[in-house]
Amino acid sequence: RTPETVARLLRARGRLQRFLDHRQIGALRIVILAEEVDAARRLELREYLEGDWSESQVFLRSGSSLQPSHLERADVARASVVLIPGADFTHGGAELNDTRVVKALLTVEAMLKASGRATRPHIVAEIFDALKVPLARSCVDGPLEVIASDQIISRLIYQNVRHPAVVRVLLDLFTHRQGNSIYLRAFPELAGRSIRALAGAFPDAVVLGLLRGSGPERRVHLDPTCDVVVEAEDLLVLLGETYERCRPTGDVPPVGTVMPPPVMLPPATDDAGHRLLVLGWSHKLGPLLGELDALDTGRFEVTVMSKVGVAERDLDAARLRPASRVTVHHVRGDYASAAALRAVDPSTFDSVVFLASGWMRSSEEADARTILGYLTLDAMLAGSPRPPQILVELLDPDNGPLLAETENAVLVSPRILSHLLAHVALRPELHPVLDALLGAGGTELGSRVAADLELVGRTVTFADIQVAASARACVAIGLMTGAPRAIHVNPARDRRWTIGAGDTVIVLELCAGARAAPIATR
């Protein structure tokens, strides 16, 4: 995670400058505390950063985050932000990672109290197990963001199972790779207007909702079924290409404008059941099953195939409700073997997920097996009339380009988490917003066929699509047209399309079975 996190911090541009201005800091300086610092490690980081490397900005110090004297060596007490990332394989792997992070938080907190400084750094820590997040929060008295990485990755996998095309949009939002990103901006002059009435005021951005309060009292409203009125201290949650373009340059409605109540659409997915094949064994499987079980509609039949013995698998069944809609079948086998794959007949499944195996010795070894299994499956499914949707999880960012040409989703977990750590470090308020965007059982990014919004056969602008979606309790953020699918996120409002039956609208909407709430608390 470290090289990618450092790269994101150095390349953040506008968000970085706003962070420096807010903190009244002249320039960014990054100190990396690592147990092993030598010429090879320095060269590795320098080659990764390429033109962004700067001897005056990036410093490496040897030491452990568990030792107060080593933290003092890195001058942690005077830092603006302290990042404590997780590690999939080092430090004993996922099982011991959370123990290390909690101990590091306690050590940092003790050192900060001993320093006697009036100002404290903002801490961002990564915990694998979401059930340990309250424990981690209890370790620090000051500002702290705890990122539950297994839950984040599991929710992205869940989104791919539910909405295969939309997960590409989510990955772009999380990694800030290209196109649109999530921004938070305050506009006190818009106080008194309802969220639903503000769509036309932002011709270059999509209004997703608002963030209210600060610290532990932060609440996120992303529910398009409720019309919350903006208060002067609120931050608007906006989807746009740049921070500067997220401004109300259109027609601002008068205070008190009342929007017609929306008409709720039926669930976008049926209740017939979804067959999911999981290849590989990972500590992320428990959270993934929990996300699937959080839905009150739909049934999931999950088959798990791995070389790990069935008796050795710990599913963390406590995550599943007694009347669970998820059934799990275990198969022992090697997914890199064509014979083993044929035995489970992948072509009969709706989705296939390759989980990166945490029981391997390194990310390189885990990815080698994953890629071999994917190529074996891809060859087996060639010519299949209705192949399943496939998602591949990788653990080494260097292996991402190996599958760059595939039409299936490729999720590089450390890269996503590195981007998240970096951007939450610069803008902590982003964390609850991104968390809410992914939450099962709340609002989610999904897709609606054009017929749901009564658009088929019409020539419309994206502004027309926004109006149609708002009337049906959705927020339109883009459009998927043609074959192969072309994805248009936050397009120009005056761009026109003649909508066909196969076109779909990317929307933010309340999950089927979820209960509407004016403001959802994290």
Side-chain angles (χ1 to χ4, degrees):
R1 288 162 176 65
T2 302
E4 185 70 21
T5 303
V6 173
R8 288 304 99 203
L9 290 169
L10 293 171
R11 297 168 188 167
R13 296 185 180 89
R15 183 161 284 162
L16 172 60
Q17 191 57 54
R18 291 188 293 275
F19 169 83
L20 296 176
D21 293 343
H22 177 70
R23 296 273 183 162
Q24 298 181 333
I25 301 171
L28 175 70
R29 289 183 175 83
I30 301 172
V31 180
I32 302 170
L33 184 67
E35 293 186 0
E36 295 181 10
V37 174
D38 52 21
R41 179 63 57 86
R42 185 179 298 273
L43 180 61
E44 176 188 358
L45 182 61
R46 184 169 185 165
E47 290 179 344
Y48 193 93
L49 296 178
E50 297 179 333
D52 293 305
W53 169 263
S54 172
E55 295 280 357
S56 63
Q57 282 191 290
V58 182
F59 305 87
L60 283 86
R61 297 287 184 267
S62 62
S64 168
S65 60
L66 306 182
Q67 297 295 329
S69 60
H70 295 180
L71 293 174
E72 292 175 1
R73 186 184 307 161
D75 202 8
V76 167
R78 293 203 306 138
S80 295
V81 179
V82 176
L83 290 174
I84 307 177
D88 290 283
F89 293 95
T90 56
H91 303 293
E95 292 184 1
L96 296 181
N97 173 81
D98 292 355
T99 302
R100 180 186 64 85
V101 172
V102 168
K103 176 61 167 62
L105 287 172
L106 289 170
T107 307
V108 170
E109 176 65 16
M111 195 207 68
L112 292 176
K113 286 183 177 178
S115 72
R117 293 182 60 85
T119 58
R120 298 171 59 104
H122 198 107
I123 302 174
V124 182
E126 178 187 348
I127 289 284
F128 282 120
D129 186 356
L131 299 178
K132 295 186 176 69
V133 169
L135 173 63
R137 286 181 178 153
S138 69
C139 297
V140 177
D141 290 335
L144 169 69
E145 298 296 328
V146 183
I147 294 174
S149 56
D150 278 3
Q151 190 174 65
I152 293 291
I153 299 303
S154 297
R155 285 177 173 177
L156 285 169
I157 296 172
Y158 150 85
Q159 289 285 359
N160 183 75
V161 171
R162 293 264 294 168
H163 310 287
V166 178
V167 76
R168 298 179 184 273
V169 178
L170 274 169
L171 290 177
D172 285 344
L173 294 182
F174 267 71
T175 58
H176 296 248
R177 289 183 300 186
Q178 58 186 359
N180 293 267
S181 299
I182 301 294
Y183 296 98
L184 303 176
R185 295 198 64 171
F187 296 104
E189 66 274 20
L190 297 180
R193 279 82 172 179
S194 73
I195 284 291
R196 290 183 61 223
L198 285 176
F202 290 83
D204 298 316
V206 179
V207 182
L208 300 180
L210 60 81
L211 177 71
R212 181 167 295 168
S214 60
E217 303 303 318
R218 289 181 314 199
R219 295 167 181 249
V220 183
H221 165 70
L222 298 178
D223 181 0
T225 66
C226 298
D227 210 3
V228 172
V229 175
V230 179
E231 297 178 359
E233 298 79 14
D234 291 340
L235 294 175
L236 292 189
V237 181
L238 301 160
L239 174 71
E241 291 185 354
T242 65
Y243 182 84
E244 290 71 23
R245 299 189 70 178
C246 294
R247 295 184 294 115
T249 57
D251 296 329
V252 177
V255 174
T257 299
V258 178
M259 299 292 291
V263 177
M264 296 292 294
L265 290 171
T269 55
D270 58 35
D271 199 39
H274 189 103
R275 300 195 71 222
L276 169 63
L277 175 62
V278 177
L279 300 176
W281 185 254
S282 166
H283 48 88
K284 300 182 184 71
L285 186 57
L288 173 59
L289 294 176
E291 295 300 318
L292 296 176
D293 190 39
L295 294 173
D296 285 331
T297 62
R299 296 184 179 277
F300 295 89
E301 182 182 339
V302 182
T303 299
V304 183
M305 185 170 112
S306 171
K307 290 178 68 176
V308 176
V310 174
E312 301 169 32
R313 303 179 188 182
D314 177 13
L315 266 183
D316 195 359
R319 297 179 188 269
L320 299 180
R321 296 174 294 183
S324 175
R325 292 175 175 267
V326 180
T327 57
V328 184
H329 308 285
H330 292 281
V331 177
R332 184 167 186 176
D334 183 1
Y335 60 72
S337 164
L341 278 178
R342 278 194 292 269
V344 295
D345 195 2
S347 64
T348 62
F349 288 83
D350 300 295
S351 304
V352 177
V353 172
F354 282 89
L355 276 185
S357 296
W359 56 272
M360 306 294 284
R361 289 177 296 181
S362 67
S363 59
E364 292 86 354
E365 186 176 341
D367 283 359
R369 282 191 50 78
T370 299
I371 293 172
L372 177 60
Y374 171 75
L375 295 176
T376 303
L377 177 64
D378 190 51
M380 184 178 300
L381 294 175
S384 175
R386 188 178 174 273
Q389 296 285 344
I390 301 175
L391 179 139
V392 181
E393 182 197 8
L394 298 177
L395 294 177
D396 189 341
D398 290 339
N399 291 326
L402 299 179
L403 299 181
E405 300 302 320
T406 179
E407 294 183 0
N408 295 300
V410 178
L411 190 157
V412 185
S413 299
R415 171 165 291 165
I416 292 168
L417 296 167
S418 297
H419 284 243
L420 187 58
L421 285 166
H423 287 286
V424 170
L426 299 177
R427 189 57 153 140
E429 293 83 1
L430 275 174
H431 182 207
V433 173
L434 295 174
D435 208 25
L437 273 176
L438 283 180
T443 50
E444 67 175 0
L445 286 184
S447 60
R448 284 285 179 175
V449 295
D452 285 348
L453 306 183
E454 300 181 4
L455 296 172
V456 177
R458 295 172 54 190
T459 299
V460 295
T461 64
F462 186 67
D464 297 328
I465 294 174
Q466 285 185 299
V467 171
S470 178
R472 292 160 180 82
C474 301
V475 176
I477 71 165
L479 189 67
M480 291 187 288
T481 60
R485 309 297 275 167
I487 300 178
H488 314 276
V489 176
N490 185 28
R493 298 303 181 267
D494 57 356
R495 183 172 176 181
R496 292 183 173 274
W497 290 272
T498 299
I499 305 299
D503 295 335
T504 58
V505 179
I506 304 170
V507 297
L508 176 72
E509 65 177 331
L510 197 67
C511 287
R515 291 181 297 175
I519 295 183
T521 303
R522 279 187 65 207

